[in-house]
Amino acid sequence: MNEPQNDVLVEIQDLRVEFDVRAGVVKAVDGVSFTINRGETLGVIGESGCGKSITARAILQMIPKPGRIAGGQVLYHRRARGSNQTDIINISKLDPDGEIIRQIRGGEIGMIFQEPMSSLTPVYTAGIHINEATNLHLTPFRKVGDQMAETVLAHRKLSKAEAREVAIEMLRRVGIPKPQERVDSYPHQLSGGQRQRVMIAIALSCGPDMLIADEPTTALDVSIEAQILDIMREMQAEENMAIMFITHNLGVIAEMAKEIVVMYMGKQVERASTIDLFYDPKHPYTKALLQSIPKVGRKTDARLASIEGMVPDPFSLPTGCVFHPRCPSFMPGKCDRIAPTWQRLVDDHWVSCLLYEEV
Amino acid sequence: MDARTIQTGPTATTDHLLEVKGLKKFFPIHKGFLRRVVGYVKAVDDVSFYVRPGETLGLVGESGCGKTTAGRTILRLYEPTGGQVLWRSKLLARGGAQEVQVDLAEMDHGQMKLIRREIAMIFQDPINSLNPRMTVGDIVAEPMVIHGQYEKERSEAVIINLLQRVGLRPDHLRRYPHEFSGGQRQRIGIARALSLNPRLVICDEPVSALDVSIQAQTLNLLQDLQRDFNLAYVFIAHDLSVVQHISNRVAVMYVGKMAEMADAEELYMAPLHPYTEALMSAVPKADPKYRSERIIMQGDVADPSNPPSGCYFHPRCRYAIERCKQEAPAFRALKPDHFVACHRAEELKLRGV
């Protein structure tokens, strides 16, 4: 492959997010590092409460109170469209209500959430939703499509009629039938799949460099899910957009991601290319996850391999490796005492497990 | 009875624990100041299927296809608009008979209460289906109390036994639902459903809200309980891989109607209905090297208050012919135990997963 290597868009270094609550401190994200390259899809998988959504929110400085970034940094390689100059912005040091993060949030990094109904305002039409984003972000710095560029460059704000055109164009691109009519529909008049498409249209209307998709298809039926995943892939190819795809559905991630990070209790336990992760998983947790899903196709009477026990209490994390009480490869005297370090096995395959360490 | 009911073999009916025939549930649409009925949402429209003792029937379909409504109408949580729900009841059997076949749609309140001891239900949302002000012990005991089966000493032992059976500890008895994780709460719901020794459990999306590792534990538990208590399940879910894993037979619904019903493996490997084929192709496979040729169904699910003419699936079907637009297909047995509602089922060569 000849594509430029290391065309980094977002670099997360040793990110730590803590929540100070009455019962103590919850380390929701505990030392996570990865990079997202332009035009590529990074998958983040893990069970609920593993910190995957909080990591995504940290990128946009959207951590809900009382959470805070306790350490590490999020470096965003900002580049104006068409230029090769890159500014590196440390997002974790930005004021969450400041001008710069508000330009990035929604404008340069879009986000779609799991529940399309509660992410849309019931009193706004689909068109107003999209125009809200475009009005905020479509300045000469950003543009939608090439045919819109001149207009956008000429005026700082779009006129009403132009904004409507942008909205209709976006709805058409995400595959909503009769976009001229649908632009005036309210969320309750749209089906679940259509609502999620409107969310995608909003997120993509400003031509973001990255899309954060937090469980975007979890609430949808498989047939609609297939449509949405196709649209996301098409848009990614057209715009050279990076995607951070968060899900617990291993089938979806196998289709979408180029590289995958597996998280458990706020820590990353393994990172590898999608093929390596599925065909040669190293961490016992990854192995167990892959074995615990029923596979469609061949019918077996075998029981599912389940992970024993449950996710530990975040206030009293196990000593040593946090996975050791549930781990089938538990080594007494080691795993419960020594915390594993994050290390590279081969090429781009990283793991955090004492099985692969000399101790 | 019209021609669309299942044509079963001569001996087949005798071994059916539950037999649903032409079940209908229409919800009226009211409009205007006088709340006049202007139409109906045909949530369940002439649905027929059967469940044998000790087996699992999976019921799948996209959201809004009527699978949950069908499950609830069986238990008369919704009053059926039409059709029969034949159930082999032990508790209603009189005069030395072991079992008697009754039509649940015709039962009165008192008889239905007895039936609810034989058919239990597990709900999707383990948080909202448990009363936050009741302890786990009270939650599991409640069905026994309601049905007059509660005797302090004996029942307490039963409850502790049940809790242990679903993987909870006896000391959990005095705790409240909020103290448990999602998977544990679903186990409480399962223990409650089993407290009256049912023979059929209607499971409405029991693992959809759970994480994969907990989902695997719960599915294993449901299978163990089925074997130990000889339970039959109607397993309603939209996750096709989960349904295949747990079901002996699977029924596919589309806009209130049955599309296909067959042995699980046969349905997945050799579907006869184009809708089943399209659904199967859309399931994401957990294999990055696998590139499926997906059949993208155009458009959205039909509106059950204003369904298309003929076969409801024809606007999205890539095999539709003129006949499909005009004539509704019958739900017929093409092979033993394999039912399909498609005009072209004989000629089409469809691919499975």
Side-chain angles (χ1 to χ4, degrees):
Chain A
M1 275 194 268
N2 290 325
E3 60 190 65
Q5 286 290 306
N6 300 326
D7 197 357
V8 176
L9 183 67
V10 170
E11 254 179 287
I12 295 178
Q13 293 171 347
D14 197 31
L15 181 72
R16 286 164 203 281
V17 179
E18 290 177 358
F19 284 75
D20 291 311
V21 287
R22 212 185 314 167
V25 174
V26 177
K27 293 180 176 174
V29 179
D30 191 7
V32 167
S33 314
F34 54 80
T35 54
I36 301 170
N37 295 333
R38 282 174 200 276
E40 287 179 6
T41 303
L42 176 84
V44 181
I45 57 174
E47 296 177 88
S48 29
C50 73
K52 53 192 194 303
S53 295
I54 295 293
T55 307
R57 283 168 175 267
I59 296 176
L60 289 178
Q61 276 278 14
M62 291 198 331
I63 297 167
K65 293 245 148 41
R68 61 186 172 85
I69 295 180
Q73 47 191 2
V74 177
L75 300 177
Y76 169 52
H77 297 238
R78 191 184 205 185
R79 189 189 291 172
R81 201 47 77 86
S83 93
N84 276 327
Q85 269 209 305
T86 311
D87 288 334
I88 296 181
I89 297 178
N90 186 351
I91 291 183
S92 46
K93 293 281 181 293
L94 291 177
D95 171 13
D97 299 322
E99 183 63 30
I100 300 170
I101 190 68
R102 279 161 54 209
Q103 283 172 8
I104 296 171
R105 201 188 280 152
E108 295 163 46
I109 301 179
M111 184 154 184
I112 46 180
F113 303 91
Q114 176 175 358
E115 214 337 289
M117 193 61 195
S118 46
S119 325
L120 297 173
T121 316
V123 295
Y124 278 5
T125 64
I128 300 177
H129 271 107
I130 296 172
N131 288 151
E132 195 182 20
T134 51
N135 286 342
L136 280 170
H137 295 290
L138 277 190
T139 59
F141 184 58
R142 317 295 312 169
K143 62 190 173 67
V144 169
D146 288 328
Q147 80 275 28
M148 299 305 300
E150 283 181 4
T151 340
V152 178
L153 284 166
H155 317 90
R156 256 192 92 79
K157 286 246 160 123
L158 298 167
S159 76
K160 256 190 178 169
E162 285 159 346
R164 194 181 159 83
E165 282 305 306
V166 173
I168 293 172
E169 170 64 14
M170 284 315 298
L171 292 179
R172 192 190 59 72
R173 286 178 67 192
V174 295
I176 288 197
K178 297 189 210 147
Q180 300 88 338
E181 293 168 30
R182 282 296 172 206
V183 73
D184 295 319
S185 299
Y186 289 91
H188 74 270
Q189 294 168 318
L190 302 169
S191 69
Q194 287 178 333
R195 281 183 211 134
Q196 196 58 291
R197 279 176 223 217
V198 170
M199 280 296 298
I200 295 177
I202 298 168
L204 301 188
S205 62
C206 304
D209 289 322
M210 181 162 107
L211 177 69
I212 298 177
D214 190 356
E215 307 258 14
T217 59
T218 307
L220 304 176
D221 284 311
V222 278
S223 57
I224 309 296
E225 175 177 82
Q227 293 174 358
I228 298 283
L229 296 181
D230 272 11
I231 290 165
M232 287 178 69
R233 269 188 297 231
E234 272 168 36
M235 303 291 257
Q236 177 174 36
E238 282 172 30
E239 306 267 346
N240 193 35
M241 177 179 72
I243 300 180
M244 177 175 173
F245 199 106
I246 301 168
T247 182
H248 65 265
N249 187 325
L250 296 164
V252 169
I253 210 75
E255 263 183 40
M256 295 297 290
K258 189 172 181 237
E259 193 178 26
I260 294 177
V261 175
V262 185
M263 289 184 69
Y264 183 76
M265 293 311 292
K267 294 186 166 58
Q268 51 189 0
V269 296
E270 186 162 4
R271 183 176 93 212
S273 74
T274 305
I275 303 259
D276 283 350
L277 194 92
F278 275 86
Y279 282 92
D280 188 20
K282 297 294 186 199
H283 198 283
Y285 179 63
T286 315
K287 288 180 189 169
L289 266 189
L290 289 170
Q291 281 164 5
S292 66
I293 46 166
K295 309 222 176 16
V296 75
R298 60 207 148 75
K299 173 96 178 154
T300 52
D301 289 328
R303 291 163 57 88
L304 292 170
S306 65
I307 306 174
E308 287 310 311
M310 47 203 163
V311 175
D313 178 5
F315 295 113
S316 54
L317 286 177
T319 53
C321 170
V322 279
F323 187 58
H324 87 255
R326 305 177 75 189
C327 184
S329 317
F330 170 58
M331 296 177 290
K334 270 172 125 182
C335 296
D336 48 356
R337 289 210 191 140
I338 310 157
T341 53
W342 184 240
Q343 47 159 358
R344 174 187 244 150
L345 287 180
V346 278
D347 301 335
D348 278 333
H349 202 146
W350 295 69
V351 71
S352 159
C353 178
L354 291 175
L355 287 173
Y356 307 98
E357 270 181 68
E358 296 285 329
V359 278
Chain B
M1 205 163 299
D2 63 19
R4 268 176 283 177
T5 45
I6 295 179
Q7 293 140 21
T8 42
T11 54
T13 33
T14 52
D15 66 339
H16 296 169
L17 182 66
L18 174 77
E19 181 152 359
V20 175
K21 283 185 175 177
L23 187 68
K24 290 185 178 139
K25 176 64 202 173
F26 299 168
F27 293 100
I29 307 168
H30 297 281
K31 225 179 192 151
F33 175 67
L34 293 171
R35 316 289 303 146
R36 245 192 290 266
V37 175
V38 294
Y40 290 96
V41 176
K42 297 180 172 179
V44 176
D45 189 4
D46 200 1
V47 160
S48 303
F49 60 85
Y50 53 85
V51 184
R52 299 194 178 103
E55 78 164 1
T56 304
L57 175 75
L59 200 51
V60 297
E62 292 171 88
S63 41
C65 74
K67 51 192 193 300
T68 295
T69 309
R72 295 190 170 192
T73 311
I74 291 171
L75 260 179
R76 296 267 301 272
L77 298 177
Y78 295 137
E79 280 305 311
T81 311
Q84 288 180 300
V85 181
L86 301 176
W87 169 252
R88 299 175 70 83
S89 175
K90 273 186 179 160
L91 294 173
L92 287 174
R94 293 288 175 269
Q98 272 283 308
E99 286 178 341
V100 59
Q101 192 171 47
V102 293
D103 182 358
L104 298 190
E106 312 214 307
M107 295 286 103
D108 64 28
H109 190 77
Q111 289 168 315
M112 210 49 224
K113 192 172 168 184
L114 276 176
I115 299 293
R116 293 212 172 93
R117 279 161 59 182
E118 299 186 309
I119 309 178
M121 192 146 183
I122 301 171
F123 300 91
Q124 172 173 7
D125 188 336
I127 301 163
N128 291 325
S129 57
L130 302 177
N131 186 339
R133 308 211 293 190
M134 284 166 80
T135 63
V136 171
D138 289 343
I139 288 171
V140 179
E142 197 183 21
M144 302 187 196
V145 174
I146 289 173
H147 289 274
Q149 303 289 301
Y150 189 82
E151 299 152 30
K152 200 164 183 347
E153 241 98 285
R154 187 185 62 85
S155 297
E156 207 123 277
V158 170
I159 292 165
I160 287 173
N161 187 21
L162 267 173
L163 286 182
Q164 284 174 327
R165 201 59 203 77
V166 299
L168 296 170
R169 292 196 308 270
D171 61 286
H172 286 152
L173 208 63
R174 316 243 168 270
R175 294 205 201 166
Y176 289 89
H178 74 265
E179 299 174 67
F180 294 91
S181 68
Q184 287 176 315
R185 283 180 206 160
Q186 196 57 290
R187 286 161 190 267
I188 299 169
I190 293 171
R192 174 177 61 184
L194 297 183
S195 62
L196 290 170
N197 272 321
R199 295 157 71 205
L200 174 71
V201 183
I202 296 174
C203 312
D204 190 0
E205 304 265 11
V207 296
S208 312
L210 306 177
D211 270 318
V212 273
S213 72
I214 307 300
Q215 172 181 301
Q217 291 175 358
T218 312
L219 289 174
N220 286 340
L221 172 67
L222 285 171
Q223 282 183 318
D224 292 347
L225 295 170
Q226 174 165 51
R227 198 191 49 230
D228 297 353
F229 297 111
N230 193 31
L231 293 171
Y233 292 137
V234 172
F235 195 94
I236 301 167
H238 68 272
D239 186 329
L240 294 163
S241 41
V242 166
V243 168
Q244 191 204 18
H245 176 78
I246 198 158
S247 305
N248 302 97
R249 292 185 309 116
V250 177
V252 182
M253 281 182 77
Y254 185 72
V255 195
K257 285 191 180 290
M258 278 297 195
E260 188 168 0
M261 178 166 81
D263 172 75
E265 180 139 23
E266 195 171 314
L267 186 101
Y268 280 68
M269 292 306 184
L272 291 176
H273 198 291
Y275 177 62
T276 316
E277 182 195 38
L279 264 190
M280 296 304 158
S281 80
V283 180
K285 316 282 183 304
D287 181 350
K289 286 185 184 165
Y290 181 90
R291 281 285 162 261
S292 65
E293 293 159 47
R294 243 200 217 135
I295 304 162
I296 299 280
M297 276 182 276
Q298 291 310 317
D300 283 320
V301 180
D303 177 359
S305 65
N306 181 23
S309 62
C311 171
Y312 288 179
F313 186 56
H314 88 258
R316 302 174 80 189
C317 180
R318 52 184 195 156
Y319 307 105
I321 51 171
E322 205 44 43
R323 189 181 172 201
C324 305
K325 290 179 193 159
Q326 279 146 22
E327 201 184 318
F331 188 56
R332 61 214 163 94
L334 209 67
K335 297 177 196 170
D337 245 14
H338 197 148
F339 301 84
V340 64
C342 175
H343 292 307
R344 304 190 62 194
E346 282 92 347
E347 41 168 326
L348 293 176
K349 292 265 175 293
L350 304 180
R351 65 189 159 86
V353 286

